[in-house]
Amino acid sequence: MALTVPTRKPPTDGTPVFSVDGLWKVFGPKADRIPGDPELSALDPAELRSRTGCTAAVRDVSFDVRKGEVFVVMGLSGSGKSTLVRCLTRLIEPTAGDIVIDGEDVRAMDRARLRELRRHRAAMVFQHFGLLPHRTVLDNVAYGLEIQGVGKSERRERAQEIVAKVGLEGMEKRRPSQLSGGQRQRVGLARALAVDPEVLLFDEPFSALDPLIRRDMQEEVIRLHREEGRTMVFITHDLSEALKLGDRIALMRDGRVVQLGTPEEIVGSPADDYVREFVRDVPREQVITVGKVMRRGDCGGSDHPGALPPNTVVADAIRTVSLGGKPACVVENGTCVGVVDHQRLLDVVAGTEQLKEVA
């Protein structure tokens, strides 16, 4: 698996934008009885369907999405990830549990407040672009602002700025039928950005794109996040995409989150055999950083050989150590906090080096 995990800015702080606690979504007759019944809620999917006719798409899920982070929810088809993201803004009504955005109870919102949430605060980018075929690129991007009641000149000016931001400058007058798949997805992204939402929700937006176009769109998301620091929730079934984009990843199976952690934690310390099998083919050296595997302590000199930042991936550190012919210092804020040598780095590649506990 070819994989390059970029260095991104950390989330701005630990303040949660979305908080989800004990969330359930059950489809079927008398669905609301399932979450509160310990016997029924403990059944596996097949047994639950057999005994009740119900399917628990989301089972007792809890997490926070921190301000400024890219939070990825990933899993195979049927794991519940798309149902989960739709529950966040009640495009699908949850069966039980709490959803809070900036301290406000989403499940208690009336219709007007929900419209405000979806139009202003949490914008969705879907796999299927949903562009208006009779409108130009510029007018498609401005559509959300039109719905908000923004005046024509103001919304077109804002749309023009966003069109340039996503790399579509010069295509403002084209219709969707005149665009490639990647260009149409950029229009969908621009339309969501135009309303300046607090959170962008992506539901497998790139899964139908060709691999090269998909990679370009991933880079676009990384670039926009780096420039704006906007909070994002990204749904995907693709592990390499999750590792590339996510500050943290919630890995789902049968409606449950089986592990929640950073890409390093998911790859370096799998929670169970399912996760271990999931990440088996991931090149650890392209995900794990020297800050997690260094030998703590000063290198004993003033020149700090190698001078690797703690977030340097092991693959890059191996090159530095090999070229220098000696261990490298891991330097944070001008101070040597640890040392990595060739053998320690190779142990990471081999999977024999244990990651340090994350505080």
Side-chain angles (χ1 to χ4, degrees):
M1 178 188 297
L3 177 67
T4 301
V5 178
T7 300
R8 292 181 297 273
K9 292 181 180 179
T12 53
D13 56 46
T15 304
V17 176
F18 268 111
S19 292
V20 176
D21 184 41
L23 185 67
W24 285 80
K25 177 56 189 178
V26 183
F27 296 97
K30 299 180 181 178
D32 56 357
R33 66 188 160 137
I34 307 298
D37 187 319
E39 181 184 354
L40 293 178
S41 63
L43 296 176
D44 68 32
E47 290 175 319
L48 184 65
R49 280 193 299 272
S50 176
R51 285 185 53 176
T52 69
C54 291
T55 298
V58 177
R59 290 172 167 253
D60 195 22
V61 167
S62 300
F63 60 86
D64 289 337
V65 178
R66 300 165 186 164
K67 183 176 175 61
E69 80 170 329
V70 180
F71 186 90
V72 173
V73 182
M74 73 154 298
L76 301 179
S77 178
S79 63
K81 58 191 185 298
S82 290
T83 301
L84 173 60
V85 75
R86 283 167 165 78
C87 284
L88 295 181
T89 57
R90 286 174 54 196
L91 291 173
I92 292 177
E93 284 290 346
T95 305
D98 298 317
I99 305 170
V100 175
I101 181 169
D102 289 330
E104 185 176 2
D105 185 349
V106 174
R107 296 196 67 197
M109 290 179 177
D110 60 19
R111 289 185 178 181
R113 196 69 180 141
L114 269 180
R115 283 196 298 271
E116 194 275 339
L117 169 67
R118 295 167 185 166
R119 290 178 181 178
H120 297 267
R121 301 167 70 183
M124 184 79 81
V125 182
F126 295 99
Q127 174 183 342
H128 303 292
F129 323 114
L131 303 182
L132 302 171
H134 62 288
R135 291 194 172 211
T136 64
V137 165
L138 193 66
D139 287 338
N140 263 288
V141 173
Y143 181 70
L145 297 171
E146 182 181 342
I147 295 296
Q148 291 181 0
V150 176
K152 184 174 182 179
S153 61
E154 182 180 347
R155 69 177 182 253
R156 289 179 70 85
E157 181 180 352
R158 171 66 177 163
Q160 185 65 59
E161 292 174 3
I162 301 299
V163 163
K165 184 182 287 287
V166 301
L168 290 174
E169 201 165 18
M171 301 183 186
E172 294 87 345
K173 295 183 179 180
R174 294 189 186 181
R175 310 279 180 178
S177 61
Q178 299 172 298
L179 304 176
S180 69
Q183 289 167 342
R184 289 197 295 273
Q185 189 57 281
R186 285 175 187 267
V187 177
L189 176 57
R191 183 175 56 190
L193 285 169
V195 299
D196 195 24
E198 184 176 3
V199 185
L200 276 173
L201 305 173
F202 295 86
D203 187 12
E204 299 204 63
F206 311 145
S207 60
L209 301 178
D210 293 336
L212 291 179
I213 299 174
R214 183 172 187 165
R215 186 181 64 191
D216 287 344
M217 289 304 301
Q218 291 167 353
E219 295 294 340
E220 189 69 18
V221 167
I222 292 168
R223 182 184 68 81
L224 288 170
H225 183 253
R226 186 186 303 118
E227 292 176 358
E228 299 190 346
R230 196 181 301 271
T231 306
M232 300 180 182
V233 178
F234 198 100
I235 308 301
T236 182
H237 65 270
D238 184 89
L239 178 60
S240 63
E241 186 167 73
L243 295 171
K244 184 175 184 178
L245 298 179
D247 293 306
R248 289 188 302 148
I249 300 168
L251 179 57
M252 294 189 71
R253 182 188 190 191
D254 294 335
R256 298 187 185 277
V257 172
V258 294
Q259 186 168 0
L260 196 165
T262 65
E264 282 181 276
E265 291 164 343
I266 298 289
V267 172
S269 302
D272 59 20
D273 288 342
Y274 178 76
V275 182
R276 192 170 293 107
E277 181 64 21
F278 216 100
V279 302
R280 182 182 63 180
D281 296 327
V282 174
R284 292 162 55 90
E285 69 274 13
Q286 293 185 18
V287 178
I288 296 171
T289 63
V290 294
K292 293 294 186 294
V293 297
M294 66 186 181
R295 184 177 68 254
R296 292 195 177 277
D298 201 310
C299 57
S302 58
D303 58 344
H304 300 326
L308 300 169
N311 62 355
T312 304
V313 295
V314 165
D316 292 339
I318 289 173
R319 284 190 285 271
T320 298
V321 171
S322 297
L323 289 172
K326 56 185 176 181
C329 219
V330 181
V331 178
E332 188 171 24
N333 299 324
T335 302
C336 183
V337 294
V339 180
V340 288
D341 57 30
H342 201 257
Q343 186 58 52
R344 201 174 190 87
L345 296 172
L346 290 180
D347 286 345
V348 173
V349 179
T352 57
E353 176 64 32
Q354 294 297 311
L355 299 191
K356 292 178 174 61
E357 290 295 325
V358 177

